[in-house]
Amino acid sequence: MSSNKNYQWPRIRVGSDDFKTLRLHSDLLGDKSLLIQELLENSAEVLLITRPRRWGKSLNMDMLRKFFEIEVDEAGKLLPEEKRINRLLFTGGNIDLDIKGIKQLAALKIHTDVYAMEQQGKYPVIYINFKDVKGSNYQDIEADIKQQVVALFLQHVYLESYISHPTSFLKESQKEQLDHYFSGKLDKNDLKQSLRFLSELLYKHFNQKVYILIDEYDTPINNSYIRFGNKPEEFEQVLELFRTIFGSSLKSNPYLEKGVITGILRITKANLFSDLNNVREYTLLDTKFASFYGFTQSEVELLLSQLPAITDPAKIKDWYNGYTFGGKVTYNPWSIMCCLSNEGKLDYYWIDSGGTALIDKMLLSDEMQVYLQNLTAGEPIISPIATQISFSDITKPMGLFSLLLFSGYLNPTAKSPEKNIYALSIPNEEVKYIYETRILQWVTDQLEIDSVRYYSLIALLPTCRVEDIEAFKTQFQKLLCSTTSFYQTGENRAELFYSGFMLGLIAMLTPDYIVESERETGSGRADIILLPQAGRSDNAIIIEYKVAKTLKDLPSVAEIGLQQIIDKKYDTKVKEHRYVKKLLKLSMAFCGKQVAFAYQIDTVSACTNENK
């Protein structure tokens, strides 16, 4: 932190997708304006760009809107040059903010591209965002889209004058149709033709082809799948509606200059773009557009250079970096801006940023647990990736990993890119926490208890007192005997639960402990080492867990685990920490619904032991 008491922390707005607002009222903004250059150089008529939630899709779309759109007054007439603001957002200059004074803007990178700047402010733009379209049935979805479409037409309210204008270029049937949009009395056919009809009107008004920007195209479809995807006929109605809207506006539309669509993933078998042979897709695996979503290392360094010394940049990297998208090392932009706006506080920002229902459904499935546990333990998963995903394949490993990758929960390392085979891993501390909390939720569901009761159970271990460890053993044994789910499907399911329980234990103790799982120490690797954070506790814990084949083997298997901790000197690293006063060496052996303990409590400084 700066030692200057008069230092004023820069204004950093988080959560706004309005490009103009951020330029005028935020002092820190990543410059992604060269996206415009790459878009203009791209030969595709329609582009589909997919990225995770909160990775700058909507902000970039609004930037495109502000760059290309013709600025008009309420009558639809071109504003005089001195009243236009959009160009200054890119070239820089002074903007009058009325009572807030004059804002001086620096130029963005795109301002040096002569060809691009010739295109600035020359096109009518249709921009629609489907992120708020959701409902429990088809009727809700249709009603929300109607509201979006009516609001879209009201952005061009000057077109309403053509309804009554005697010399209008519209036919009588078109006047009647246009009246539907401004009165809000739309039927399904009006919805299907809405973007196509509006592009025709704008073309004829301005004598210029139109940019169509469709943001978050897949959000209502994903939400519909979650809420009523088990009703195929009703879900198909949603798909058909969007299929027609996209098809009519983006295929063989003589009034279209260029279309840009964004979403999280390409949904196949929904056939949303099946009739569009002019769509080119760019995912996070592609090099094109890779630098315009998320922050590169140099961009983060530039942002940090504009602030006083805050959190260690290496820690920021551990928490929010770790992605390699399109061959570029990338930071989560939402998390970075949240972190900087909170004066460098490291926290789990992305987990609470919404839109995770489909992901959560998959992460909490029994089938996913073995993969989550392996990933959390640091083991990458080798899998082919499908760039186009069908809902029917999401429950299968390849579809599930593809969904997690394109949603920002995995980092890809190419193994055989020509065959779309990648090594998938957890990118950073923030995402690891998401996995840990989902594992914890799955475990508590299996034990049929809530997280508060679970924590009360786990909190008995760090005391390093015999009576508390015995209480933990008794309570845990009762839970195993009373629960009805985890052991029902056989030995493999039970072992999955045991492993998940240990990871859940780790998650609960993380606030007070530094957790080292499968860390090499002494002459081997301990399953779990819990080192107390200075000032939080002075007791350390080493845990080894085993699975016995028979109930009669339980006590001996537990003793073997304890002896392993002792013989292999798993306590070597613990003893390096001078503030540790007590050390619990705990071996847990499982078999079905039974558990056995063997443990030893060391008073580290005096090297005395209490054996049990």
Side-chain angles (χ1 to χ4, degrees):
M1 293 293 296
S2 173
S3 58
N4 185 355
K5 294 182 180 180
N6 296 321
Y7 178 82
Q8 184 175 358
W9 195 264
R11 296 174 302 168
I12 304 174
R13 287 206 177 187
V14 179
S16 174
D17 295 325
D18 188 288
F19 179 71
K20 177 182 173 182
T21 296
L22 290 179
R23 282 288 278 155
L24 297 182
H25 302 291
S26 186
D27 297 326
L28 283 185
L29 179 71
D31 185 351
K32 300 295 183 180
S33 62
L34 291 182
L35 167 66
I36 298 162
Q37 181 185 72
E38 191 151 339
L39 177 65
L40 288 170
E41 293 174 353
N42 196 292
S43 61
E45 185 177 24
V46 180
L47 295 85
L48 171 61
I49 301 175
T50 56
R51 287 299 185 278
R53 61 185 170 86
R54 301 293 188 182
W55 276 70
K57 299 187 298 295
S58 296
L59 178 57
N60 278 348
M61 286 289 257
D62 195 60
M63 178 182 69
L64 295 178
R65 175 186 181 179
K66 294 296 192 298
F67 184 85
F68 288 111
E69 72 179 353
I70 300 172
E71 291 184 83
V72 298
D73 60 19
E74 291 182 357
K77 294 182 179 179
L78 188 67
L79 283 175
E81 189 169 346
E82 65 271 14
K83 291 189 176 182
R84 300 177 206 168
I85 293 179
N86 286 354
R87 189 174 185 86
L88 292 176
L89 299 178
F90 298 91
T91 62
N94 295 327
I95 296 181
D96 188 353
L97 301 180
D98 296 325
I99 62 173
K100 295 183 178 180
I102 302 296
K103 173 74 174 184
Q104 186 175 24
L105 295 180
L108 298 182
K109 296 174 183 177
I110 192 64
H111 89 284
T112 61
D113 187 317
V114 176
Y115 173 74
M117 294 310 299
E118 288 175 350
Q119 314 302 306
Q120 194 281 319
K122 298 296 177 62
Y123 297 89
V125 175
I126 296 172
Y127 172 72
I128 189 165
N129 191 325
F130 288 119
K131 68 178 180 180
D132 295 323
V133 175
K134 58 189 68 174
S136 301
N137 51 55
Y138 170 77
Q139 287 72 26
D140 290 346
I141 299 295
E142 184 179 297
D144 275 2
I145 297 176
K146 283 182 179 179
Q147 290 182 355
Q148 293 284 328
V149 168
V150 170
L152 179 61
F153 271 78
L154 288 174
Q155 292 172 16
H156 306 278
V157 69
Y158 51 86
L159 295 174
E160 190 175 15
S161 64
Y162 288 115
I163 297 174
S164 57
H165 200 291
T167 60
S168 168
F169 54 74
L170 296 181
K171 299 176 182 178
E172 288 303 316
S173 60
Q174 290 179 311
K175 291 182 179 181
E176 183 178 346
Q177 185 181 4
L178 181 56
D179 184 60
H180 292 175
Y181 293 104
F182 285 108
S183 66
K185 299 175 181 178
L186 286 69
D187 59 27
K188 187 180 293 188
N189 188 62
D190 290 327
L191 282 184
K192 291 179 177 179
Q193 297 298 319
S194 57
L195 302 188
R196 167 66 167 72
F197 183 49
L198 181 56
S199 65
E200 179 182 355
L201 297 176
L202 292 174
Y203 172 78
K204 290 181 177 179
H205 180 85
F206 293 106
N207 194 30
Q208 179 64 25
K209 288 187 176 183
V210 177
Y211 269 81
I212 296 181
L213 310 178
I214 301 174
D215 200 10
E216 304 276 5
Y217 91 94
D218 56 342
T219 297
I221 298 167
N222 295 340
N223 288 334
S224 297
Y225 175 76
I226 290 291
R227 296 193 181 193
F228 57 93
N230 59 341
K231 301 176 182 178
E233 292 183 5
E234 195 167 357
F235 184 54
E236 177 57 32
Q237 284 183 283
V238 175
L239 297 179
E240 175 59 26
L241 179 57
F242 280 98
R243 193 179 296 132
T244 309
I245 291 173
F246 298 152
S248 65
S249 60
L250 300 174
K251 180 184 179 183
S252 302
N253 182 354
Y255 313 110
L256 177 67
E257 175 69 21
K258 194 178 283 281
V260 182
I261 311 166
T262 69
I264 292 177
L265 58 141
R266 172 77 177 266
I267 305 170
T268 187
K269 294 187 180 179
N271 297 320
L272 295 176
F273 308 111
S274 59
D275 294 331
L276 302 178
N277 53 14
N278 60 341
V279 176
R280 189 173 299 171
E281 180 183 4
Y282 297 96
T283 75
L284 51 76
L285 297 175
D286 296 303
T287 55
K288 281 190 175 297
F289 299 101
S291 60
F292 304 120
Y293 297 89
F295 290 138
T296 63
Q297 180 65 41
S298 60
E299 286 174 327
V300 170
E301 290 173 358
L302 178 61
L303 290 171
L304 291 176
S305 71
Q306 300 173 62
L307 298 169
I310 53 173
T311 307
D312 182 356
K315 290 185 178 180
I316 293 177
K317 187 172 185 178
D318 288 341
W319 273 68
Y320 307 124
N321 187 242
Y323 296 95
T324 307
F325 290 168
K328 295 183 180 294
V329 176
T330 309
Y331 286 77
N332 183 320
W334 172 263
S335 301
I336 286 293
M337 296 310 292
C338 287
C339 174
L340 298 186
S341 69
N342 283 284
E343 302 187 8
K345 180 183 177 182
L346 299 173
D347 207 341
Y348 306 105
Y349 299 109
W350 195 57
I351 189 175
D352 294 322
S353 61
T356 63
L358 184 59
I359 297 295
D360 284 346
K361 181 179 180 180
M362 299 300 110
L363 293 183
L364 293 174
S365 66
D366 294 343
E367 294 76 16
M368 188 58 187
Q369 295 309 306
V370 64
Y371 300 114
L372 260 63
Q373 293 175 17
N374 289 340
L375 285 167
T376 305
E379 300 175 17
I381 294 172
I382 310 298
S383 175
I385 291 299
T387 57
Q388 300 182 20
I389 306 170
S390 69
F391 287 116
S392 60
D393 290 336
I394 285 177
T395 55
K396 302 172 185 176
M398 185 173 112
L400 184 54
F401 297 143
S402 301
L403 172 65
L404 290 172
L405 171 62
F406 293 120
S407 299
Y409 291 80
L410 290 172
N411 179 58
T413 300
K415 300 296 288 185
S416 181
E418 67 280 0
K419 296 180 181 179
N420 283 331
I421 296 176
Y422 293 84
L424 306 171
S425 58
I426 297 177
N428 54 44
E429 289 297 319
E430 183 176 41
V431 177
K432 183 179 180 181
Y433 177 75
I434 296 174
Y435 284 101
E436 289 173 344
T437 56
R438 297 307 180 266
I439 292 172
L440 174 60
Q441 185 175 344
W442 180 80
V443 169
T444 54
D445 287 346
Q446 306 306 305
L447 288 173
E448 300 170 7
I449 61 173
D450 59 36
S451 58
V452 174
R453 188 179 169 197
Y454 187 75
Y455 179 75
S456 296
L457 172 68
I458 298 303
L460 293 170
L461 290 179
T463 67
C464 290
R465 295 188 305 210
V466 171
E467 58 269 30
D468 288 337
I469 298 169
E470 289 296 320
F472 173 87
K473 175 184 175 182
T474 300
Q475 292 181 35
F476 183 45
Q477 181 65 79
K478 287 181 179 178
L479 283 172
L480 290 180
C481 289
S482 63
T483 190
T484 58
S485 54
F486 81 87
Y487 62 89
Q488 287 181 337
T489 54
E491 183 177 327
N492 290 338
R493 172 71 178 276
E495 291 191 20
L496 181 65
F497 166 78
Y498 305 145
S499 179
F501 169 78
M502 304 307 292
L503 290 169
L505 182 151
I506 289 174
M508 281 301 204
L509 295 179
T510 296
D512 296 324
Y513 281 85
I514 299 169
V515 179
E516 300 187 0
S517 182
E518 290 289 343
R519 171 73 177 266
E520 186 167 353
T521 179
S523 58
R525 292 178 181 270
D527 284 336
I528 299 171
I529 296 179
L530 295 162
L531 292 170
Q533 296 194 46
R536 296 288 186 90
S537 174
D538 49 19
N539 298 333
I541 307 172
I542 299 175
I543 301 177
E544 187 74 19
Y545 89 94
K546 305 284 186 183
V547 178
K549 293 183 178 181
T550 65
L551 288 175
K552 70 177 183 179
D553 293 335
L554 266 180
S556 61
V557 170
E559 290 293 342
I560 289 171
L562 176 59
Q563 199 59 45
Q564 180 177 324
I565 294 174
I566 297 169
D567 292 344
K568 294 194 173 183
K569 299 180 180 179
Y570 289 165
D571 60 357
T572 301
K573 291 289 183 181
V574 175
K575 291 180 178 180
E576 294 176 0
H577 295 75
R578 295 180 179 274
Y579 57 86
V580 175
K581 294 182 180 179
K582 285 189 176 182
L583 169 61
L584 169 63
K585 299 174 181 176
L586 173 63
S587 172
M588 304 172 67
F590 296 95
C591 182
K593 298 170 69 174
Q594 300 296 316
V595 62
F597 281 22
Y599 60 90
Q600 176 174 301
I601 302 172
D602 293 353
T603 302
V604 177
S605 58
C607 296
T608 59
N609 298 327
E610 296 180 57
N611 295 324
K612 188 73 180 180

